[in-house]
Amino acid sequence: MNNYLIPSNSKRSMLIFGMFRPIDLAIFLGGGVGTFLLIFINSPQNLMDIFVDLLPLLVGATMVAPVPNQMNVWSFTVNVYSFLVHQRDYRWRGWCKSYGEEEDKQQ
């Protein structure tokens, strides 16, 4: 009998540091580079400037933070972004709207 035992962390061994995919690290590094550039472009004078400068890093860290059901949260975020950016024009044709053919028949 060939009974193989699959370890419970076999999927985690394929991830970087056991919890990140390459795209996750790219997002985080992109936020870090964006924050680094913003700090050098506009020198922060007050608390609001510091918050604006740190915003790319905060957004990147939030997007890759290890939370339960991370892929569900990621998919939801992508779907909301896609809905907001690619809005469609839905035209409803109800049963009570008359069309050109029906008006011609009545005359």
Side-chain angles (χ1 to χ4, degrees), residues 71-91:
M71 293 310 298
N72 293 342
V73 173
W74 178 256
S75 297
F76 176 74
T77 306
V78 169
N79 287 335
V80 167
Y81 174 77
S82 175
F83 175 76
L84 293 175
V85 171
H86 307 288
Q87 287 188 2
R88 293 162 184 84
D89 185 22
Y90 295 106
R91 296 191 178 154

Side-chain angles (χ1 to χ4, degrees), residues 20-35 55-65 70 74 77-78:
F20 297 113
R21 297 175 299 161
I23 188 71
D24 296 335
L25 291 181
I27 290 170
F28 185 71
L29 289 175
V33 168
T35 296
L55 196 59
L57 185 64
L58 294 174
V59 169
T62 303
M63 290 179 72
V64 301
Q70 181 180 9
W74 178 256
T77 306
V78 169

Side-chain angles (χ1 to χ4, degrees), residues 11-25:
K11 289 271 187 182
R12 293 187 73 184
S13 67
M14 295 186 293
L15 300 174
I16 301 169
F17 302 124
M19 62 177 71
F20 297 113
R21 297 175 299 161
I23 188 71
D24 296 335
L25 291 181

